[in-house]
Amino acid sequence: MITYNPLLCLDFYKTCHAEQYPKGLTKMVSYYTPRMSRLSDTDKVTLFGLQAFIQEYLIEAFNDHFFNVPFDSVLKEYTRVLGATIRTKGVGEKRLRELHDLGYLPLQIRAVPEGTRTNIKVPQIEISNTHPNFVWLVNTIETMLSCTMWHTQVSAEVGYRYRKIVNEYAERTCDDNVVRARLLGDFSMRGQESVESATKSAAAFCLSFLNTATVPAILWLEHNYNCDCSKEPVAYGALSTEHSVMCSNFAVDGDEVTQIRRLLCEVYPHQSFSMVSDSYDYWNLVEKVLPQLKDDILNHDGFISIRGDSGDPVSVITETVYRLWDIFGGTVNSKGYKVLNPHVKAIYGDSITPQRCEQIYSLLEKNGFAINNVSLGVGSFSMECLETIESDGSKQYNPYTRDTFGIAVKATYAEDADGKPIMIFKNPKTDTGHFKKSQRGCCRVVKTGDGYDYVDGLTWAEAQDSNELRTVFRDGKFEKQFTLDEVRKNLHGGTF
């Protein structure tokens, strides 16, 4: 979260728009809309992150760094920064003072419920001013809103994509009591742009799965989505070794048996853990070292996950399952698929794209194994890029950006001092694909058989009834908040 006046957390040009609007406007309405999809198989986008944005920026940041700070200090910083950069020292003092004296943020935000997947081109968020003197505030928050939410929403879609794959194969190969939300996990933190980006991205992924390596994602969800990891399943981490552990012990012991036995019998005798196993010779460890430790593994109060970390993930993890079956055996579940002895599993925590995930599950199913024999980890690549296979077999990489779903905030409606409706819209003739065409006037969002649609061209009064956009924030306070459990159920049709 920012530690300075949020009215300086924007593009430079936003600071001068108040003077540029037509005189006499008393109301402005803007909509946040995913305008397109660059993913051929995705025509809906999950709304997630708005509640956190409101909490961290519109409430906490504005209270801590604007309203609760002496106005002289606010003005001094504001004029110093702008005066030294775009030569607008002093511009905006009157409106800043009016807002500071008001003591709250005079905005109303309406939105579809968090966790809802709306169709492309359907507005997800509506922003309007509640005080006639603060038309300029509506689009002032656009920059913060856009850059805070787009990656969070993309990561929610990434998690949803993987969950659909898991559901498909688990339905066919796993007993019904297998917790599908535990079959994949987020391993992305170290590869993301920042701690903040990694935290929000992992939290969004946790709408579909319970496993994460990103500790602050849990704290972020607790802070913003009314949950408590000590009382409910927010997300879970895992005990695991890393190469520094494996290599330093090998340097001391001269073998791998000693360390693995110590992990099983001394360090984690009553806990499950994952062990990176390819520091030297992965298949030697699987085929020769593990059999030496068979009794220790079978007597262990938990399971050990054998983790590959190099080579082709598809062949490594599927072959590992087959060889662990040969060594430790297992059972056949109610759907006729093999399940490894509960003391062993296979895990691969890197390079698991949606395509590789499907390939792994398909091979396991083909060879008679349930998919809950493996745990897969989704890294930063998949949180930030989608790999696609072209018709000629070549691979294309599509990095996720704000433009993946063409997310934008556009003003579409205003009123003058007499309350006269003013319909605003943009429709560039040079935009031949009509990608940048905006809504016109106020919008009413409605449910349809295919999800959601909208009607535009309405006045503010006409758009109030039977609208799926519901008020969540008004005049500096929440009017509606969602729990993590509610968001998950909204996304997954009532179940998680």
Side-chain angles (χ1 to χ4, degrees):
M1 189 178 69
I2 59 174
T3 57
Y4 47 83
N5 178 2
L7 291 175
L8 290 173
C9 186
L10 35 63
D11 302 307
F12 267 117
Y13 75 152
K14 291 288 187 184
T15 65
C16 59
H17 289 170
E19 291 74 34
Q20 299 174 12
Y21 285 124
K23 291 183 178 180
L25 295 186
T26 58
K27 191 169 196 65
M28 179 73 74
V29 181
S30 292
Y31 290 96
Y32 175 104
T33 307
R35 298 175 297 177
M36 66 174 294
S37 175
R38 297 183 187 273
L39 308 180
S40 60
D41 60 351
T42 303
D43 62 358
K44 294 181 176 63
V45 182
T46 302
L47 178 71
F48 179 63
L50 175 62
Q51 185 166 296
F53 168 76
I54 292 171
Q55 177 67 38
E56 295 183 349
Y57 289 85
L58 301 190
I59 295 177
E60 293 174 1
F62 264 96
N63 286 342
D64 294 345
H65 305 295
F66 184 76
F67 292 117
N68 295 338
V69 177
F71 181 72
D72 288 347
S73 297
V74 170
L75 183 62
K76 182 179 179 181
E77 179 187 45
Y78 190 84
T79 56
R80 180 187 69 83
V81 172
L82 298 187
T85 52
I86 60 171
R87 304 290 188 259
T88 59
K89 185 175 182 179
V91 172
E93 177 177 350
K94 181 177 182 295
R95 55 184 165 86
L96 259 65
R97 186 181 294 276
E98 286 181 347
L99 179 60
H100 196 272
D101 289 346
L102 187 67
Y104 63 87
L105 202 61
L107 293 176
Q108 175 176 286
I109 296 178
R110 301 198 301 176
V112 296
E114 297 243 355
T116 299
R117 299 183 79 237
T118 63
N119 300 61
I120 298 298
K121 297 186 182 299
V122 173
Q124 296 183 320
I125 303 169
E126 176 192 84
I127 310 161
S128 62
N129 59 300
T130 60
H131 189 295
N133 292 355
F134 298 98
V135 165
W136 59 272
L137 264 179
V138 173
N139 268 42
T140 294
I141 70 168
E142 172 192 356
T143 312
M144 287 191 296
L145 178 65
S146 179
C147 71
T148 298
M149 286 191 57
W150 75 260
H151 188 206
T152 311
Q153 290 187 264
V154 165
S155 295
E157 282 299 305
V158 170
Y160 186 79
R161 177 185 291 269
Y162 279 97
R163 183 60 187 266
K164 286 196 299 182
I165 298 170
V166 167
N167 286 348
E168 176 188 347
Y169 284 89
E171 183 68 28
R172 294 199 299 265
T173 71
C174 297
D175 284 332
D176 293 337
N177 63 355
V178 169
V179 180
R180 299 175 185 183
R182 298 299 306 270
L183 298 184
L184 252 79
D186 152 55
F187 279 55
S188 68
M189 185 172 185
R190 69 190 61 192
Q192 301 252 17
E193 296 92 340
S194 65
V195 171
E196 292 78 12
S197 179
T199 298
K200 293 184 293 183
S201 177
F205 190 84
C206 286
L207 297 186
S208 294
F209 293 98
L210 285 168
N211 298 346
T212 183
T214 308
V215 177
I218 296 172
L219 301 173
W220 188 87
L221 287 167
E222 288 183 327
H223 182 70
N224 294 304
Y225 286 91
N226 302 302
C227 55
D228 184 338
C229 72
S230 65
K231 299 177 181 178
E232 60 188 296
V234 175
Y236 301 109
L239 298 170
S240 180
T241 70
E242 68 172 12
H243 288 292
S244 69
V245 172
M246 305 306 292
C247 295
S248 59
N249 276 274
F250 185 85
V252 172
D253 301 327
D255 66 68
E256 294 173 303
V257 172
T258 303
Q259 182 198 7
I260 299 173
R261 180 170 283 128
R262 187 166 71 87
L263 289 170
L264 289 163
C265 302
E266 298 176 32
V267 181
Y268 301 121
H270 304 293
Q271 292 172 284
S272 300
F273 63 94
S274 165
M275 183 179 71
V276 63
S277 303
D278 71 328
S279 294
Y280 303 103
D281 188 338
Y282 181 80
W283 295 118
N284 180 73
L285 182 143
V286 172
E287 295 177 337
K288 296 183 179 179
V289 174
L290 293 184
Q292 296 178 56
L293 296 159
K294 184 174 182 178
D295 289 342
D296 297 294
I297 291 172
L298 294 179
N299 291 323
H300 177 235
D301 183 20
F303 63 80
I304 178 173
S305 290
I306 307 305
R307 177 184 158 202
D309 196 40
S310 57
D312 174 49
V314 177
S315 61
V316 167
I317 196 166
T318 52
E319 283 295 323
T320 300
V321 171
Y322 308 152
R323 299 187 195 194
L324 290 177
W325 176 267
D326 291 339
I327 299 168
F328 297 97
T331 57
V332 176
N333 67 20
S334 63
K335 296 181 181 178
Y337 288 87
K338 299 175 185 176
V339 179
L340 287 170
N341 184 290
H343 291 92
V344 289
K345 285 188 177 181
I347 184 171
Y348 206 103
D350 190 22
S351 304
I352 302 299
T353 62
Q355 292 82 1
R356 286 173 173 166
C357 179
E358 285 209 73
Q359 289 170 7
I360 290 165
Y361 288 167
S362 178
L363 280 171
L364 289 174
E365 180 182 30
K366 180 180 178 180
N367 286 281
F369 287 88
I371 68 166
N372 61 309
N373 288 299
V374 301
S375 295
L376 302 178
V378 177
S380 57
F381 175 89
S382 288
M383 292 294 193
E384 306 201 15
C385 188
L386 179 66
E387 175 187 292
T388 58
I389 310 298
E390 301 300 304
S391 57
D392 62 0
S394 64
K395 292 183 180 180
Q396 298 292 325
Y397 300 99
N398 300 302
Y400 294 131
T401 71
R402 180 179 71 102
D403 290 329
T404 298
F405 296 117
I407 291 172
V409 177
K410 297 300 174 187
T412 64
Y413 180 82
E415 291 179 357
D416 64 14
D418 297 321
K420 176 186 175 181
I422 302 170
M423 300 296 178
I424 305 172
F425 70 100
K426 65 177 288 189
N427 187 17
K429 287 190 175 181
T430 49
D431 177 32
T432 55
H434 302 292
F435 158 54
K436 294 196 171 186
K437 181 181 180 181
S438 73
Q439 298 100 1
R440 179 180 183 275
C442 290
C443 297
R444 179 187 295 130
V445 174
V446 296
K447 285 186 178 180
T448 68
D450 186 41
Y452 289 81
D453 202 350
Y454 74 96
V455 178
D456 65 351
L458 306 176
T459 66
W460 176 253
E462 291 170 339
Q464 300 309 300
D465 296 331
S466 303
N467 198 331
E468 294 299 320
L469 298 174
R470 308 291 174 81
T471 303
V472 294
F473 173 84
R474 184 181 173 88
D475 293 341
K477 297 179 181 179
F478 277 112
E479 288 207 357
K480 167 65 179 177
Q481 288 181 276
F482 295 90
T483 66
L484 174 61
D485 182 62
E486 288 173 328
V487 178
R488 283 171 167 167
K489 287 179 178 177
N490 287 340
L491 179 58
H492 296 287
T495 61
F496 175 64

